[in-house]
Amino acid sequence: MLEVRELSIAYGGAPAVWDVSLDVGAGELVAVIGPNGAGKSTLVNTIAGLHRPRAGVIRCAGVELGALPSHRVCRHGIALVPEGRRLFTRMTVEENLEIGCYRDEARAERAAGLERVYGLFPILRERRRQLAGSLSGGQQQMVAIGRAMMARPRLLLLDEPSLGLAPAVVDAMFAIIRAIHDEGVAILLVEQNVIRALDIANRAYVLEEGRIVAGGAPDALRRESRIREAYLGVAN
Amino acid sequence: MPSATLLGQAVVSGLLAGGLYGLLALGLSLSWGLLRLVNLAHFALALLGAYLTYQLGTALHLSPWVAAIVLVPAFFGLGIALHLLFARFRVTEFTSLLVTFGIAVILESVIQWFWTADYRRYETPYASASFKLGPVFVPLLELFACLTAATLALATWAWLRFTYVGKALRAAAEDPAIAGAFGVDHRRHALLLSGLSAAYAGAAGTFIALIATLAPSQIWAWLGVVFAVVIIGGLGNPVGALLAGFLIGMSESITMAVVAPAWAPLVSFSILIGLLIFRPERV
C-alpha cells in the first residue's frame, strides 16, 4: 500500500527526518512511536503532501507521490487526520466533512459518506449545523477523523488522535480506530500513548531524532529493554 | 431639529449611497477575507472603470449598460492578471498593502495622463430621473446601483455558502495546507476570486461614472470610508459588507442632515473604532 524509501525531509531549513524507510501493507495498522520532536508529524505530513521531501521515495499503490502538487496526493487514496485536528473552525461540522469529500471520486459518494460518518459518530449528526470551532476537543477529533473518512481513503494517516483528550474519550477514540481498521482501511498511526499504540498495531516503528531506530511486531518491541525503559516506564 | 421630510430624505439617500459603498466594499472584503490580500488598488480599478464607462459613452456613444457588458468581463481578466503577478512575487497580507498602493498610484497617474485632473461629468438622460415616494425623492440610478449591490452580495453569499468552490475558498482561507491535502487547488480558486473581485470593481465603476463627478484623486476619497465598511461588515462576508454599507451611508447622511456635513466622517469612523474596541474578534 505505502512504501517509503530513504526519505529525508528538511523542515524550516533544518533536517527533520533522515533516511527513513517504512511500509504499510494493505489493511495493516502500523504505529510510529517516539519522543516529541522526533519528526513523527513531519513524516506523516510529508506523506500527505504538505511538505516536499528533500530526498527519497514515497510510493502509494505503485504511484510516486513525492513530486506531486499537494492537492493531487489525496487522489491516490491517502487522507490525513493532522495533529491538533486543524478543523475549519469557522465552518459547520457538515461543511468540514464536505471538504473531506472534495475530490471528485469521493464527492459522488457524499451522501453515503455522511451516513457512514454519522453512523460512527452519532453526536456529529446532532451538531452538523454547529460551527466546528464551538465543539469540545473530543468532538473536534471526531470531525477530523470523519473529514478524513469522507475522502474514502485506503490509507488513513492519524497524527496523535488521543492528544489532549479525557481518558474516557481516548478509549472511545481507540475503539473507533479499531472499527475503521476492521473495515479494511490501512492506518499509519502516530501516537504518544505508546501502550495503547502497541496494543492496537500490527507493527510499529520507533522514530528518534528523525531516524528509525527500531521496528517490528509489538510483542517484540515490548520485550526490548530500551523501549521498556524509555516508553513504557518499566525499570529493568 | 430638521423636519420629518428632511430626515426621511436623509435615510433614503443614505441607504442608496450605502449601496454603492457596499458594492465597492464587496470585492475588497472578498480578497482580504479569503485571499489575505488587502487590495488598495481596488478603488483605482473602480475609478478606472468609471473613466472607461465615461470614455465609451462620450467618444463612442456607447450606452453605459453596453459599456458595462464589455468592461465587467475585461476587468475579470484584469483581476486574474493582477493575481498572477501577486502569486509570482509571493505577495503576503502585509506586502500586498505596499504593492497595491503602488498600483493605485500608477493607475491614478494613468487616469490623470489620459483624462487630466479636470473634473468630468458624464451627462446621461437618466442622471436626474427619480420618482417620489410620499414626500421623499428616490433617484432611479442610485436605486439601481443599490439593487445591483444587493443582488451581487446575496449571490456571492450563496456561492460561498452552498457550492463546493465556495466552501473550498473558505476552508483554504483558514488552513490552505489542510484544504490542499483534501484536494483543494487553492491557486486556481484564488485566480477566480481575484477576477470576480475586479469585475465587481468594474461594475461599481459604471455606477460611479453615472452618479458621481469624476476626478483622479477620487481613488483616495473612497478609501477611508470603504475600509470602515469592509471591517464593520466582517472580512470575507458579502452580506455583512452590504449591510455595513447601508449603516455607514445612513449614519453619514443623517449626521449631515442633523448636524453638519463636516461631521459625517466622524460618525462612520466612531462606529468603526467602537466596533474594534468592543468586538475586536470580528476583524
Side-chain angles (χ1 to χ4, degrees), chain B residues 174-222:
Chain B
E174 210 170 321
D175 194 331
I178 293 298
F182 287 101
V184 173
D185 184 357
H186 187 46
R187 283 201 299 192
R188 243 179 52 202
H189 292 170
L191 287 177
L192 175 66
L193 194 76
S194 301
L196 208 60
S197 163
Y200 290 170
T206 302
F207 286 111
I208 291 172
L210 293 170
I211 292 166
T213 303
L214 302 181
S217 60
Q218 282 277 308
I219 292 171
W220 314 109
W222 295 104

Side-chain angles (χ1 to χ4, degrees), chain A:
Chain A
M1 180 77 232
L2 179 75
E3 285 172 69
V4 174
R5 290 291 171 270
E6 289 159 14
L7 183 69
S8 294
I9 309 157
Y11 190 48
V17 169
W18 289 97
D19 209 16
V20 163
S21 297
L22 61 81
D23 290 277
V24 181
E28 202 180 17
L29 201 168
V30 174
V32 176
I33 58 175
N36 284 332
K40 306 188 297 293
S41 290
T42 307
L43 175 65
V44 284
N45 286 345
T46 305
I47 295 169
L50 268 59
H51 314 302
R52 282 281 166 94
R54 201 172 60 173
V57 175
I58 303 168
R59 214 177 286 127
C60 185
V63 181
E64 161 72 46
L65 302 179
L68 289 180
S70 63
H71 67 272
R72 295 265 172 83
V73 170
C74 65
R75 289 185 196 173
H76 300 284
I78 291 183
L80 171 69
V81 179
E83 183 179 1
R85 308 182 278 267
R86 291 175 72 173
L87 297 184
F88 307 114
T89 55
R90 293 190 294 264
M91 296 169 72
T92 65
V93 167
E94 191 151 298
E95 285 173 337
N96 270 273
L97 298 178
E98 285 173 325
I99 293 295
C101 67
Y102 186 81
R103 71 186 183 101
D104 291 335
E105 253 177 83
R107 204 183 293 185
E109 297 175 55
R110 171 185 172 278
L114 284 174
E115 275 313 307
R116 181 181 181 203
V117 170
Y118 291 149
L120 283 174
F121 307 110
I123 184 78
L124 295 187
R125 189 195 297 275
E126 287 170 40
R127 300 276 157 99
R128 67 184 189 277
R129 302 206 185 287
Q130 221 168 303
L131 291 186
S134 71
L135 301 182
S136 73
Q139 290 164 359
Q140 291 198 13
Q141 191 65 56
M142 293 176 194
V143 178
I145 293 176
R147 180 175 63 180
M149 292 308 290
M150 291 294 288
R152 302 252 148 192
R154 279 169 292 156
L155 172 66
L156 187 64
L157 306 171
L158 280 167
D159 194 355
E160 305 280 14
S162 73
L163 195 66
L165 301 183
V169 186
V170 171
D171 289 341
M173 209 52 76
F174 275 95
I176 290 293
I177 293 169
R178 201 183 290 273
I180 292 170
H181 180 222
D182 288 344
E183 286 182 32
V185 180
I187 295 176
L188 184 62
L189 170 70
V190 166
E191 181 56 61
Q192 33 86 40
N193 191 333
V194 174
I195 298 172
R196 304 299 292 260
L198 292 182
D199 277 346
I200 198 173
N202 302 127
R203 279 186 311 115
Y205 294 93
V206 181
L207 190 70
E208 286 178 2
E209 291 174 13
R211 293 168 201 274
I212 297 226
V213 296
D219 283 338
L221 288 172
R222 278 198 206 96
R223 280 194 297 272
E224 276 188 43
S225 62
R226 221 177 56 77
I227 288 167
R228 287 163 66 90
E229 263 179 75
Y231 298 107
L232 301 174
V234 183
N236 286 285

